[in-house]
Amino acid sequence: MPGMSSPDLLPSVLAGEAAFLDTLRSLVELESPSHDAQAADRVADALVALLTRDGWSVERSPRDDVGDVVIGRLEGDDPNDGTLILAHYDTVWPLGTLAEMPWSRDGDVARGPGVLDMKAGIANAVHAARAARAAGSLRGPVTLLVSSDEETGSLHSRAAIEAEAVRHARVLVVEPGRDDGALKVGRKGVGDMTVRFTGRSAHAGLNPEQGASALREMARFLLAAEALADVPNGTTVNVTVASGGSAGNVIAESATARVDLRFATMDESRRVLSELHAYRPYDDRVRVEMVGGLNRPPMEPTPGNGALLDEARAHARTLGLAFGEAVVGGGSDGNFTSALGVPTLDGLGAIGGGPHARNEHVRIRETLERTALVASLLRGPHQDDASGTPTS
């Protein structure tokens, strides 16, 4: 006898609202800034306990400078039809934020630091798997990978993410959807460069001509770098942080700038990075050094991504739901998996607003609907009769 049909998943998930919110609140009230490994590992402890209670086989992969990576595994029907769910538990909020922004619920809205990005995504994955298993069997093995450094570029978790991705048939990323609930079918690539300028100091009043100003060169570089932007085609180049000089009466010997790069295509990333590295100082007495480059490739359209999106649309129709689709500027770990050619769909986590902002919140009903969609995708083709014949 098969489990409940896919249309029944939604009322089942909605009925579990209290349990979902208990999970979400417990995660929000464990603060986990990206750069605090000790605090982050307390969330890893909680995740290991939560997944173990739910019957996942759990692995914990230690990291020295950030929190540990937690990987949970569930068995499914077809070993070649596995699903990787990607989540992260680090947030942009420093320790102590919870005292200023405590967990709260007001009607259909829940608030707290990291509630949208992306503690609710983790709760989504856990409760979606729980609902799918209660409804019957999983279409294939399910792996949940929860990293601890997504907000800072996934430098410590990228290798694990990519290694898991190629072992699975698809990747579901439980980052929040767009504020209107749209799934994220495209993301810009992200680059980050640090540019150091080393000139020559001199007295600003007595002999300034003997100095070579690193600040002046940095100013010229800023204009040249930002001129490489092509906003209509999705390319932005912004000098976001800069510092330099040592005293008010000294020609600046050193300066440093950080450059944020965003691209819609790999061709654009190659163009901009090539132009940046071709930069030559106006004052040849100033040395310019660049460190960094492309951190995340863009999530561009692929046939596999399109087919997975179509599948999600079919499941949504069965559940009586609908969603839009969007291409967004921010990156996620789905950029890595899509670039590997593994069908990837993003924005399957919470629905709300204010990521990285003081008004961060989730809308509970819509978030639970998204949980039901993930549960349906984990079950695969739903079965409506006792013979187990898949129906459309």
Side-chain angles (χ1 to χ4, degrees):
M1 181 74 177
M4 69 179 70
S5 63
S6 286
D8 294 327
L9 276 172
L10 181 56
S12 173
V13 169
L14 293 175
E17 176 184 308
F20 180 92
L21 291 176
D22 283 346
T23 299
L24 179 55
R25 179 172 185 170
S26 69
L27 294 171
V28 170
E29 291 186 338
L30 287 170
E31 295 181 284
S32 50
S34 303
H35 297 291
D36 191 323
Q38 185 175 8
D41 277 342
R42 288 194 286 271
V43 182
D45 292 339
L47 287 173
V48 169
L50 172 63
L51 295 175
T52 301
R53 285 197 302 271
D54 265 19
W56 298 71
S57 172
V58 183
E59 304 163 18
R60 182 166 178 166
S61 182
R63 296 293 187 271
D64 293 331
D65 300 318
V66 297
D68 295 346
V69 173
V70 176
I71 301 175
R73 302 185 192 276
L74 295 171
E75 295 182 355
D77 291 341
D78 183 348
N80 297 314
D81 197 24
T83 301
L84 172 64
I85 305 176
L86 290 181
H88 67 87
Y89 64 80
D90 62 315
T91 77
V92 300
W93 300 104
L95 286 182
T97 303
L98 191 64
E100 307 163 14
M101 295 169 54
W103 162 268
S104 67
R105 179 186 179 179
D106 181 10
D108 189 52
V109 174
R111 303 180 185 275
V115 67
L116 176 69
D117 191 10
M118 65 172 301
K119 300 292 178 69
I122 301 172
N124 172 316
V126 170
H127 286 263
R130 190 181 294 177
R133 295 170 79 197
S137 60
L138 300 173
R139 65 190 294 178
V142 175
T143 300
L144 171 61
L145 188 153
V146 192
S147 68
S148 63
D149 65 338
E150 192 274 344
E151 297 291 1
T152 55
S154 303
L155 300 178
H156 300 272
S157 56
R158 177 176 179 174
I161 290 166
E162 293 181 333
E164 289 293 339
V166 297
R167 300 188 185 111
H168 292 78
R170 70 195 58 79
V171 176
L172 307 180
V173 185
V174 286
E175 288 278 358
R178 197 170 64 176
D179 288 5
D180 62 359
L183 294 185
K184 295 173 179 177
V185 299
R187 286 182 177 272
K188 290 185 180 181
V190 181
D192 179 33
M193 297 190 71
T194 298
V195 187
R196 299 184 179 91
F197 305 84
T198 305
R200 183 183 302 165
S201 62
H203 195 289
L206 296 179
N207 54 348
E209 71 284 352
Q210 294 183 19
S213 174
L215 279 175
R216 184 181 298 113
E217 193 62 48
M218 182 172 69
R220 292 182 180 274
F221 171 82
L222 184 155
L223 296 175
E226 296 195 349
L228 297 174
D230 185 353
V231 176
N233 286 318
T235 302
T236 58
V237 181
N238 290 291
V239 177
T240 53
V241 180
S243 62
S246 58
N249 59 354
V250 177
I251 299 298
E253 182 178 39
S254 63
T256 303
R258 289 279 299 275
V259 186
D260 180 272
L261 314 166
R262 308 277 168 156
F263 321 98
T265 67
M266 283 299 295
D267 285 344
E268 272 295 276
S269 74
R270 285 187 283 267
R271 176 187 70 83
V272 172
L273 290 170
S274 176
E275 293 278 0
L276 287 173
H277 284 293
Y279 178 83
R280 295 295 178 266
Y282 284 73
D283 185 338
D284 60 13
R285 298 174 297 169
V286 178
R287 186 172 74 253
V288 180
E289 299 173 283
M290 301 183 190
V291 178
L294 184 65
N295 171 256
R296 297 181 195 272
M299 182 178 174
E300 301 185 65
T302 70
N305 291 0
L308 183 54
L309 175 64
D310 289 341
E311 184 182 347
R313 286 198 187 102
H315 282 268
R317 285 194 298 270
T318 300
L319 294 167
L321 304 174
F323 55 79
E325 56 189 75
V327 177
V328 298
S332 84
D333 290 335
N335 291 46
F336 300 136
T337 62
S338 178
L340 291 172
V342 183
T344 300
L345 187 57
D346 203 339
L348 285 160
I351 301 176
H356 299 193
R358 295 261 168 199
N359 66 332
E360 183 174 7
H361 65 278
V362 300
R363 300 193 295 274
I364 297 167
R365 168 76 187 219
E366 292 172 81
T367 296
L368 289 171
E369 291 173 348
R370 190 55 49 87
T371 302
L373 176 59
V374 174
S376 191
L377 285 164
L378 296 180
R379 286 198 67 216
H382 61 282
Q383 297 174 339
D384 279 338
D385 62 31
S387 68
T389 303
T391 63
S392 59

